[in-house]
Amino acid sequence: MKFSDLDAIFLPKSAALIGASRNPRKWGFKIGLNVIAEKFRGAFYLVNPKETEFLSRRVYPNIRDIPGAVDLAVIVIPAPLVPSALKECGAKGVKAAVVITSGFRELSPEGEKLEREITGIARDHGILLVGPNTMGIYSADVKLHALMVPVAPFPGKISFVSQSGNLGVQLLTESRSHEVGFQKFVSNGNEAMLHSEDYIEYFGGDPETRTIMIYLEGFKNPQRFLEIARRVSREKPIVLLKGGKTDSGARAALSHSGAMKSTRNISSAIFRQAGIIEVEDTTELLDAAKGFERLPVPRGPNVGIITGGGGLGVITTDACELRGLRVPPLTTGLTEDLRKIMPDFWPGGNPIDLVATGGSRVVHTCIEKLAAEPYIDAVIALGVANRARAFADTPQTIFRTLPPEMLQEKTRVIEEGDRRLAELVHEVIERHRKPIIAVSLARPGLKYEEISPIVTYPTPERAVRVLARMYQYYQLQQRKS
Amino acid sequence: MKFSDLDAIFLPKSAALIGASRNPRKWGFKIGLNVIAEKFRGAFYLVNPKETEFLSRRVYPNIRDIPGAVDLAVIVIPAPLVPSALKECGAKGVKAAVVITSGFRELSPEGEKLEREITGIARDHGILLVGPNTMGIYSADVKLHALMVPVAPFPGKISFVSQSGNLGVQLLTESRSHEVGFQKFVSNGNEAMLHSEDYIEYFGGDPETRTIMIYLEGFKNPQRFLEIARRVSREKPIVLLKGGKTDSGARAALSHSGAMKSTRNISSAIFRQAGIIEVEDTTELLDAAKGFERLPVPRGPNVGIITGGGGLGVITTDACELRGLRVPPLTTGLTEDLRKIMPDFWPGGNPIDLVATGGSRVVHTCIEKLAAEPYIDAVIALGVANRARAFADTPQTIFRTLPPEMLQEKTRVIEEGDRRLAELVHEVIERHRKPIIAVSLARPGLKYEEISPIVTYPTPERAVRVLARMYQYYQLQQRKS
C-alpha cells in the first residue's frame, strides 16, 4: 500500500462513529458531541446496536445499515470487538478508520496480537488505519473534530502529527491563546499501519498545509522518516519537538508508548541534516510553527528593532545576539532620514527608540525605511501593534472616572491605528519579502475571535527565538541548493 | 544620608502631584487619574498654579498651600522648573520626591548639570529622590499607583526595582496573566540619589516583601551593590534579569540610560557569588519570582511527577534532566501502595501516569504519598489543577447542544474538586515543607479576579525551570552557611 493519499482520513465526505453512546461519561458520547457541535461538513452517522437515538439523530445498529457511502469510520468500541467492526467497515467500503480504542500493543502481549490482527484486516480491506490508541483527528476544511476532548483551534495552515495524543490536544487547546491556526491534526497512537512519516509525506503534498509540526518520541522506521523529512523540508518547514531526549525522558517514553519499543534515539545533528527544525520546548513548537506559517524567512542575520522603550530594546538586542542574529548600527543615511521626523533628543541607533513619540507616522516611517535597507533582513517592532487589545485589557477601575464619550473616541482612534499599521506591515512584507514581527503584551486569549493581523509574540525573547529558527531554516535551504 | 528607610516613598500617609493637569494627553493627567482611580489610601493633593479643579478635586497653586503635611511629592513639571519645586517641597517638609520628569543626565550635558543641582537640593533638604526620568512607583499596602501608565497588578509579596521604566511597567501589566502579585515597585530612572542597591536593602528589611525582583542594566557602585545583595540574599531570594549582556545589548543600554555611563559589566559568576539568581528572560523573571514568593525551596534535586498524559510526562522528565534535576524511579513500597488504587494496566514508574483514571482520590493519594517520600524533594502535577478555569475556556459551541442543568452540575463538581485539591496541596506543602507545583493550560488572564490557590505555570518546561532555580538558591544558601 502507498500512503501518500490520506484524503479519506482528512477530507472524508462522510464519517461514522462506531460506538456512539448517550452516556456522557463515554468517549462515544464525547466524540460524537464534538463532531456534531463543531458542524462537520460531511454526512455523519452514528452506530451502536444498543442505541436508537443520539442528540435527536438516528443511531444505526450496524455500519452496513447506513444508507449512503461511508469514507471514514471512527471506532471507540472495546478492543476485542474492533476486528469484527473493521471487517464490517471493509464490507461497507469504508476507506479509513480512526481506532480510538486502547488496549493493544501498549497494554500486553495479547493486545499486541490483537493489534497485528486489526492491522491485517485493515490491510486486506484496503482501509487506512489511524492508531489504535489515538485521541483522534482534526481537519479544518471539512470541520472535522473527531477528538476525545473538545478542542476548536483557529483554522490555519499548520498541520500537526503528535505521538502523544494528550500533548497534541493540549497544544491545540493552547494554540488559540497563541493565535496559531491549524489545518490538520492527527494523534497517531500506536502507529500500527501509518507512521509519523506517512503523515509528513501527505502534509508535504497537501496544498492547504504550509508548515508541518511534529511531536515525536520514537521511530518505527528511522531511515524512511529521515528520507521523507529531507524531501518534504525542501518545500515546507518541518518543526519538531523530540520527547525522550534524556535518559529518564526516554525511559518515561518507553513506558508510555508501547508501540515505540523499536525506538532508537536520533541526535539533533541528524535532524538538522534532514532539514528539520528541532525546537527546545512546547512553547517554541507553537511559536516557530506560527512564524513559518505566516512570514517569509529572513535571508540574513541582521535585525532592525523599533521599540517603545529603551529597556525592551536592550533585552531584544541581547536575545538576538545570544541566538546568533545581529543588530547592526544604522547607516548614516538612514539616521539622517530618521532625524527629520524624530524629536531633537532622539539618541539614534538600532534599536530605534521611539522616545515616547509613538505617533503612527513615525512608526510607519521607521518600519518602511528599515525594511527597505538592503542590509536589514528582518524587523521586530516592540509595543506598537495590537494596541486596541492591550487597551481593552487596561484595568477597568481607571475608566470608571472618565466620561464614556472620551473612552469611545480613544478606542476608535486606537483601533483605526491598529488597522492602518497592519495594512502597512502586510504591504511592506510583500514588497521586500522580509519578516516583520510585533511584540505585544496584549494577551490574545480566548476572548478574541480572530487571529491578530500582524504576527505577534508576547515577549521579545520569543519573537527573537522564532526569527533565529527561521534564519536557521534559510541557511539549511541554502546549503542544500 | 542613610537610605535603609524608604518608608516615605513606599508608605506615605500623604502625597502631592506637582504638575496635575486636566489635559488627558499630559502625564499630569494620567498619573493623577491612576492614583485616584486605584484609591490611594493616604491624602492625595494636586498642585498646579494654572488649574483649579481636577476630576472634581481642588488643585492647589503651590505645594505650600496644602493644609496638611505631605510625605511624598510626585513631580511631572518640565525639567527647568524642578529645582524650585524641590525647594518648595523642602520648605513644606516633604520627605521624598519621585521625579517623573526627563531631560536630565540622559539628554545632554546641561541636563546632567541640572540633575546634579536637583540632587544637591534634595540632599540639602533631606528629601529622598527617586529618579529623575522615572516612570514612577507602586505600593500595594497603601494602594499607591503613581505610574505613567495604568497598571494594577495583583497585590502580593514580590518587590521589584527596574532600571527600565518601560520594561518594568510592561512586566507589571503582564504579571496579572502570570498570576504574580506585587508588593512594591520602583522604576529607578537615572539613579541621581537612590541606586538599585538602596531599594534592594530596603526591600530586604521590609516585612511585607518575600522576594526581590530586579531588572538591571548597569551599576553606579558595583561593589556596594554586590555587598548588599550578598547580605539580603541570605534572607530573601533575589531574582535578577541583566540587560546589556551582549556587546550590542550593552551598546543599546548605553544609549538608553545615560545615567549608567559608569556601567561595567558583571559576569554571571559574580552574581552567583552574591547569592543572586540570574534568570534568562523576562518570562523567567516573573515565573521564578512567583515560585520563590509562594513556595518552600526544594532541599534536593529529586522530582516526583504526576501526569494526566504520557507525552506531557516525557516532556517534563526531559526538562528536569536538562535543568539539572532528577526524576528517580519509585521505590517498590510506593509502587505497591499505588497499585492498590490504580487500574491493572497502570504501567508504574515516575512520572506517575494517571492513565485516564484522574479520579480525585487517586490524584490526592499520589500527591500525598509522593511528598511523604524522604527521597522526593518536589512534586509537579500536570493537568490536575484549576480544572474549572480550563473548563470555562472550553469552546462554547460544544455546550450549545447540552441541557443547561448538565452543564451547571458539571461546573459545580469541577469547582468543588479544585477547592479540595487546593486544600490538600496547601496542607501537604505545610506538612513536608516541599514545593508542589501545578501545570495547567488554563490561561489565568484578566478575566480571573484572583490568583489561583495552587502555584501554577502554563507549560511543564516553565514549571521545571522555576524548580531548578529554587534548587539553585537552596544550594547557594547551603554553601554560605
Side-chain angles (χ1 to χ4, degrees):
Chain A
M1 276 170 100
K2 266 203 70 202
F3 299 133
S4 54
D5 183 6
L6 306 185
D7 282 355
I9 300 167
F10 292 103
L11 299 171
K13 290 193 174 57
S14 51
L17 176 61
I18 300 180
S21 169
R22 294 175 72 177
N23 179 346
R25 306 179 76 86
K26 293 213 166 187
W27 298 118
F29 176 88
K30 292 174 184 175
I31 295 170
L33 180 62
N34 287 342
V35 173
I36 292 167
E38 300 298 339
K39 301 190 169 62
F40 170 50
R41 290 225 165 102
F44 184 53
Y45 304 103
L46 303 153
V47 177
N48 189 337
K50 294 182 211 144
E51 311 251 359
T52 55
E53 182 266 335
F54 177 96
L55 295 173
S56 316
R57 285 163 182 250
R58 180 173 167 189
V59 176
Y60 296 90
N62 191 293
I63 193 167
R64 285 172 305 176
D65 302 322
I66 295 169
V70 176
D71 288 342
L72 176 74
V74 178
I75 298 176
V76 291
I77 54 179
L81 305 179
V82 173
S84 65
L86 266 180
K87 282 177 197 156
E88 281 159 359
C89 286
K92 176 72 185 168
V94 164
K95 296 175 194 156
V98 175
V99 181
I100 305 285
T101 312
S102 60
F104 292 92
R105 189 188 295 252
E106 82 287 359
L107 178 65
S108 64
E110 297 74 42
E112 194 172 341
K113 195 163 152 260
L114 196 59
E115 184 168 315
R116 275 199 302 272
E117 186 186 344
I118 65 165
T119 312
I121 296 168
R123 199 163 275 135
D124 291 347
H125 289 84
I127 296 173
L128 294 165
L129 183 69
V130 179
N133 190 26
T134 158
M135 287 185 73
I137 60 166
Y138 153 83
S139 182
D141 275 13
V142 294
K143 294 187 144 209
L144 178 58
H145 290 66
L147 293 165
M148 290 168 80
V149 292
V151 180
F154 289 115
K157 298 292 183 186
I158 298 166
S159 290
F160 176 23
V161 49
S162 177
Q163 254 174 15
S164 159
N166 178 277
L167 188 135
V169 297
Q170 293 262 40
L171 288 185
L172 288 194
T173 304
E174 201 183 349
S175 72
R176 279 188 80 89
S177 65
H178 288 253
E179 302 200 316
V180 182
F182 284 91
Q183 179 58 224
K184 295 178 175 76
F185 165 75
V186 58
S187 147
N188 55 356
N190 290 2
E191 302 194 5
M193 179 190 282
L194 293 167
H195 303 175
S196 297
E197 59 268 26
D198 296 308
Y199 300 105
I200 294 169
E201 188 168 37
Y202 173 69
F203 295 153
D206 174 22
E208 297 306 316
T209 296
R210 218 174 273 155
T211 301
I212 298 166
M213 190 170 128
I214 310 174
Y215 172 72
L216 188 82
E217 290 182 0
F219 306 86
K220 290 268 182 157
N221 186 341
Q223 203 183 328
R224 187 160 166 269
F225 178 94
L226 291 169
E227 272 168 25
I228 288 176
R230 193 173 295 116
R231 184 151 38 80
V232 170
S233 70
R234 285 202 196 101
E235 306 298 325
K236 295 179 187 181
I238 300 177
V239 184
L240 175 143
L241 179 65
K242 176 70 172 70
K245 279 182 285 205
T246 64
D247 289 347
S248 304
R251 200 181 60 225
L254 268 184
S255 92
H256 157 226
S257 46
M260 296 299 128
K261 287 213 172 99
S262 58
T263 293
R264 60 161 235 210
N265 226 331
I266 283 205
S267 73
S268 300
I270 290 175
F271 283 132
R272 208 154 44 235
Q273 278 166 32
I276 292 170
I277 303 297
E278 188 189 2
V279 299
E280 291 171 5
D281 54 40
T282 47
T283 306
E284 194 188 2
L285 188 60
L286 288 169
D287 282 351
K290 171 164 109 175
F292 281 115
E293 180 203 3
R294 296 181 57 196
L295 291 169
V297 297
R299 297 183 299 270
N302 292 324
V303 184
I305 300 169
I306 296 161
T307 178
L312 288 169
V314 171
I315 289 293
T316 311
T317 307
D318 277 343
C320 284
E321 254 192 43
L322 292 169
R323 296 267 171 198
L325 300 172
R326 286 201 292 265
V327 185
L330 302 184
T331 57
T332 319
L334 180 53
T335 303
E336 308 265 298
D337 272 7
L338 292 179
R339 286 229 176 274
K340 289 173 198 154
I341 55 162
M342 288 293 201
D344 290 345
F345 54 91
W346 180 55
N350 181 19
I352 300 175
D353 191 336
L354 296 171
V355 287
T357 56
S360 61
R361 193 173 75 91
V362 174
V363 172
H364 291 204
T365 307
C366 287
I367 290 173
E368 281 194 292
K369 289 197 178 285
L370 265 182
E373 288 286 323
Y375 70 98
I376 292 290
D377 304 299
V379 175
I380 297 180
L382 306 165
V384 300
N386 298 328
R387 296 177 85 132
R389 293 177 182 208
F391 186 65
D393 283 349
T394 302
Q396 290 306 303
T397 47
I398 207 87
F399 296 125
R400 283 190 211 121
T401 45
L402 284 185
E405 62 276 14
M406 192 189 273
L407 206 58
Q408 272 168 27
E409 173 60 11
K410 198 169 163 64
T411 303
R412 199 196 58 75
V413 169
I414 295 175
E415 281 172 353
E416 174 63 15
D418 278 356
R419 204 184 53 72
R420 286 194 300 122
L421 182 66
E423 279 173 16
L424 175 96
V425 164
H426 280 275
E427 200 258 304
V428 173
I429 289 175
E430 283 310 306
R431 198 187 321 154
H432 300 291
R433 300 305 298 158
K434 293 177 183 177
I436 300 176
I437 300 182
V439 174
S440 164
L441 292 180
R443 308 256 119 198
L446 289 158
K447 67 177 150 172
Y448 301 102
E449 286 308 313
E450 54 181 30
I451 288 180
S452 146
I454 300 178
V455 175
T456 306
Y457 296 92
T459 73
E461 295 94 340
R462 281 169 57 184
V464 168
R465 191 160 68 156
V466 169
L467 206 53
R469 291 299 183 197
M470 292 173 70
Y471 180 52
Q472 182 190 336
Y473 181 72
Y474 172 77
Q475 290 175 299
L476 286 171
Q477 296 301 95
Q478 291 305 103
R479 208 173 57 186
K480 272 186 262 175
S481 59
Chain B
M1 275 170 102
K2 268 202 71 203
F3 299 133
S4 53
D5 184 6
L6 307 186
D7 281 355
I9 299 167
F10 293 103
L11 299 170
K13 291 194 174 58
S14 51
L17 175 61
I18 300 180
S21 169
R22 295 176 70 177
N23 179 346
R25 306 179 75 86
K26 294 214 164 187
W27 298 119
F29 176 89
K30 293 172 183 175
I31 295 171
L33 180 61
N34 286 343
V35 173
I36 292 167
E38 299 299 339
K39 300 192 170 62
F40 170 50
R41 289 226 166 101
F44 184 52
Y45 304 103
L46 303 153
V47 178
N48 187 338
K50 293 181 211 144
E51 311 251 359
T52 54
E53 182 266 334
F54 178 97
L55 295 173
S56 316
R57 285 163 182 250
R58 180 173 168 191
V59 177
Y60 296 90
N62 191 294
I63 193 167
R64 284 172 305 175
D65 301 323
I66 294 169
V70 176
D71 288 342
L72 175 74
V74 178
I75 298 176
V76 292
I77 54 178
L81 305 179
V82 173
S84 65
L86 266 180
K87 282 177 198 158
E88 280 159 359
C89 286
K92 177 71 183 169
V94 165
K95 295 175 193 156
V98 175
V99 180
I100 304 285
T101 312
S102 60
F104 292 92
R105 189 189 294 252
E106 82 286 359
L107 178 65
S108 63
E110 296 74 44
E112 193 171 342
K113 195 164 151 258
L114 197 60
E115 186 168 313
R116 276 199 302 273
E117 186 187 343
I118 64 166
T119 313
I121 295 168
R123 198 162 275 134
D124 291 347
H125 289 84
I127 297 172
L128 293 165
L129 183 68
V130 179
N133 190 26
T134 158
M135 286 185 73
I137 61 167
Y138 153 83
S139 182
D141 275 13
V142 294
K143 295 188 144 209
L144 178 59
H145 291 65
L147 293 165
M148 289 167 80
V149 291
V151 180
F154 288 114
K157 298 291 183 188
I158 298 166
S159 290
F160 175 23
V161 48
S162 178
Q163 254 174 15
S164 159
N166 178 276
L167 187 136
V169 297
Q170 293 262 39
L171 289 184
L172 288 194
T173 304
E174 201 182 349
S175 71
R176 280 188 80 89
S177 65
H178 288 252
E179 301 201 316
V180 182
F182 283 91
Q183 179 58 225
K184 295 177 174 77
F185 165 75
V186 57
S187 147
N188 55 356
N190 290 1
E191 302 195 5
M193 179 190 281
L194 294 166
H195 303 174
S196 297
E197 59 267 27
D198 296 308
Y199 300 107
I200 295 169
E201 188 168 38
Y202 173 70
F203 295 152
D206 173 23
E208 297 304 316
T209 297
R210 218 176 272 154
T211 300
I212 297 166
M213 189 170 129
I214 310 175
Y215 173 71
L216 188 82
E217 290 182 359
F219 307 87
K220 290 267 181 158
N221 187 342
Q223 202 183 329
R224 187 158 168 269
F225 178 94
L226 292 168
E227 272 168 25
I228 289 175
R230 192 173 295 115
R231 185 151 38 81
V232 170
S233 69
R234 285 203 195 101
E235 306 298 324
K236 296 179 188 182
I238 300 177
V239 184
L240 174 142
L241 179 65
K242 176 71 173 70
K245 280 181 285 206
T246 64
D247 289 347
S248 304
R251 201 182 58 225
L254 268 184
S255 93
H256 158 228
S257 47
M260 295 299 129
K261 287 214 172 99
S262 57
T263 292
R264 59 162 234 209
N265 228 332
I266 283 206
S267 74
S268 300
I270 291 177
F271 283 132
R272 207 153 47 234
Q273 279 167 30
I276 292 170
I277 303 296
E278 188 188 0
V279 298
E280 290 172 6
D281 55 40
T282 46
T283 305
E284 193 188 3
L285 189 61
L286 288 169
D287 283 351
K290 172 164 109 175
F292 281 115
E293 180 203 3
R294 296 181 57 195
L295 291 169
V297 297
R299 296 182 300 271
N302 292 326
V303 184
I305 299 170
I306 297 160
T307 177
L312 288 169
V314 172
I315 289 292
T316 311
T317 306
D318 276 343
C320 284
E321 256 194 41
L322 292 169
R323 298 266 171 198
L325 300 172
R326 287 201 292 264
V327 184
L330 303 185
T331 57
T332 318
L334 180 54
T335 303
E336 308 265 298
D337 272 7
L338 293 179
R339 286 228 177 275
K340 289 172 200 154
I341 55 162
M342 288 292 199
D344 290 345
F345 54 91
W346 179 55
N350 181 20
I352 300 175
D353 191 336
L354 297 170
V355 288
T357 56
S360 61
R361 194 174 76 90
V362 174
V363 172
H364 290 205
T365 307
C366 287
I367 290 173
E368 280 193 293
K369 289 198 179 284
L370 265 181
E373 288 286 322
Y375 71 98
I376 292 290
D377 304 298
V379 175
I380 296 180
L382 305 165
V384 300
N386 298 327
R387 295 176 85 132
R389 293 177 181 207
F391 186 65
D393 282 349
T394 302
Q396 288 308 303
T397 47
I398 208 85
F399 296 125
R400 282 190 211 122
T401 45
L402 284 184
E405 62 275 15
M406 192 190 272
L407 206 60
Q408 272 168 28
E409 174 59 12
K410 198 168 163 64
T411 304
R412 199 196 59 73
V413 168
I414 296 176
E415 281 172 354
E416 174 63 15
D418 278 355
R419 204 183 54 70
R420 287 194 299 120
L421 182 67
E423 278 173 16
L424 175 96
V425 164
H426 279 274
E427 199 258 304
V428 172
I429 289 175
E430 283 310 308
R431 198 188 322 154
H432 300 291
R433 301 304 299 157
K434 293 177 183 177
I436 299 176
I437 299 182
V439 175
S440 164
L441 291 179
R443 309 257 119 199
L446 288 158
K447 65 178 151 171
Y448 301 102
E449 287 309 312
E450 55 182 29
I451 289 180
S452 146
I454 300 179
V455 175
T456 306
Y457 296 93
T459 73
E461 296 94 339
R462 281 169 56 185
V464 168
R465 191 160 68 157
V466 168
L467 205 53
R469 291 299 182 197
M470 291 172 71
Y471 180 52
Q472 181 189 337
Y473 181 71
Y474 172 77
Q475 289 175 300
L476 286 170
Q477 296 300 95
Q478 292 304 103
R479 208 172 59 188
K480 272 186 263 176
S481 60

